[in-house]
Amino acid sequence: TDKALVDARKVLPKGQTAYIDPRYADRSPEEAVLVNVIPKCWVYDPEKRATIFDIVAELQQAVKDLVEAKGSSRSSILQEL
């Protein structure tokens, strides 16, 4: 909504972001990756923020690691997500 956008513009420069419960990192490897990646997207300074290429590379590596750990195919891992 417009109000949410205005609110975000007020708090982001102050370093405030949405809360992500750290317990999600312990629920599954997939959620742990997201708990790690999401804050990298929220960095206010664009020079310090992860690029889309950084995020994609990290997610691709996570899928590769899950495929190896679970002994599944890439497509079946992606379907589970």
Side-chain angles (χ1 to χ4, degrees), residues 3-60:
K3 182 181 179 331
L5 180 59
V6 170
D7 291 345
R9 288 182 181 161
K10 289 180 184 177
V11 300
L12 288 176
K14 298 175 187 172
Q16 299 173 350
T17 60
Y19 175 73
I20 298 177
D21 191 321
R23 293 177 290 181
Y24 284 115
D26 298 328
R27 288 176 34 148
S28 71
E30 296 86 355
E31 287 175 297
V33 169
L34 294 176
V35 168
N36 184 46
V37 167
I38 290 171
K40 294 176 182 180
C41 299
W42 288 344
V43 173
Y44 183 71
D45 183 348
E47 296 296 320
K48 296 178 182 174
R49 186 181 315 128
T51 68
I52 188 65
F53 302 107
D54 298 331
I55 299 301
V56 168
E58 191 165 342
L59 294 174
Q60 286 176 329

